[in-house]
Amino acid sequence: MARRIEHLTTSTWPVQDVYRALVDETYLRDRLAVLGGNDARLVSFASADGTTSYQLKQGVSAEHLPSVAKGLLGGDLVIHRAESWTEAGTTGTVEVTLNGVPGRLDGTTVLAGHQGGSRMTLTGQVKVSIPLMGGKLETMIAEQVAKLLDKENEFTTEWLANRG
């Protein structure tokens, strides 16, 4: 059974500023350098006709993982993340797969105006197909995604302020 995830972050920056950062190749490389972990890199980046798509590789050292994940992975966690954003409506899709885990996260991200700034909402589901362990891993992945999105939101705020 899949676990639903919904996570909301807010920013004092307007929607268009946040959107422009999220589809900026320099921003993505800067964010990966700070938050990407082991062997982080921008795997691909393409922007045409109002749509920007990219793939990221991020890593989490085994020492920072919950014990249930350490036992399953036997090492570091490697995250493969594909995002696609469209300027019309500032909506995006995200797909995340993890090395050594038969599962994925699929979601939609929406940027909208909020109290003079903006808010970003990720809605999706985490599905791990491992008997007995799947539910625990789905919960762990959802919690880790929420923490990562909060850190990315903080990074985006600082990144925009430094370029303002």
Side-chain angles (χ1 to χ4, degrees):
M1 176 179 244
R3 175 178 165 85
R4 181 170 163 71
I5 182 172
E6 186 167 329
H7 189 74
L8 170 74
T9 56
T10 59
S11 174
T12 57
W13 291 90
V15 170
Q16 286 306 312
D17 290 344
V18 174
Y19 173 78
R20 279 193 292 273
L22 293 173
V23 298
D24 182 280
E25 190 171 356
T26 300
Y27 160 83
L28 293 169
R29 290 183 191 283
D30 290 349
R31 190 179 80 190
L32 283 169
V34 173
L35 300 175
N38 302 339
D39 196 28
R41 62 187 164 101
L42 181 61
V43 176
S44 67
F45 183 91
S47 188
D49 301 324
T51 299
T52 301
S53 300
Y54 48 86
Q55 294 180 351
L56 309 171
K57 179 183 172 196
Q58 297 172 263
V60 179
S61 176
E63 66 190 43
H64 299 296
L65 296 172
S67 59
V68 66
K70 285 181 195 177
L72 176 69
L73 297 172
D76 295 347
L77 174 65
V78 179
I79 302 162
H80 301 277
R81 181 172 165 182
E83 293 192 33
S84 181
W85 286 91
T86 178
E87 194 165 355
T90 55
T91 60
T93 59
V94 61
E95 298 173 8
V96 177
T97 57
L98 310 168
N99 70 310
V101 179
R104 61 187 295 122
L105 178 148
D106 294 294
T108 302
T109 306
V110 177
L111 273 170
H114 178 72
Q115 298 179 351
S118 60
R119 73 172 172 222
M120 187 165 60
T121 306
L122 168 70
T123 305
Q125 67 175 10
V126 179
K127 173 72 174 151
V128 177
S129 302
I130 300 176
L132 303 175
M133 296 278 296
K136 287 182 182 181
L137 288 170
E138 289 167 359
T139 299
M140 185 266 306
I141 291 168
E143 289 170 355
Q144 294 301 314
V145 166
K147 288 178 185 178
L148 178 61
L149 292 175
D150 288 341
K151 288 179 183 177
E152 288 179 353
N153 184 56
E154 291 171 15
F155 177 85
T156 303
T157 298
E158 290 177 22
W159 192 86
L160 287 167
N162 290 333
R163 279 144 190 81

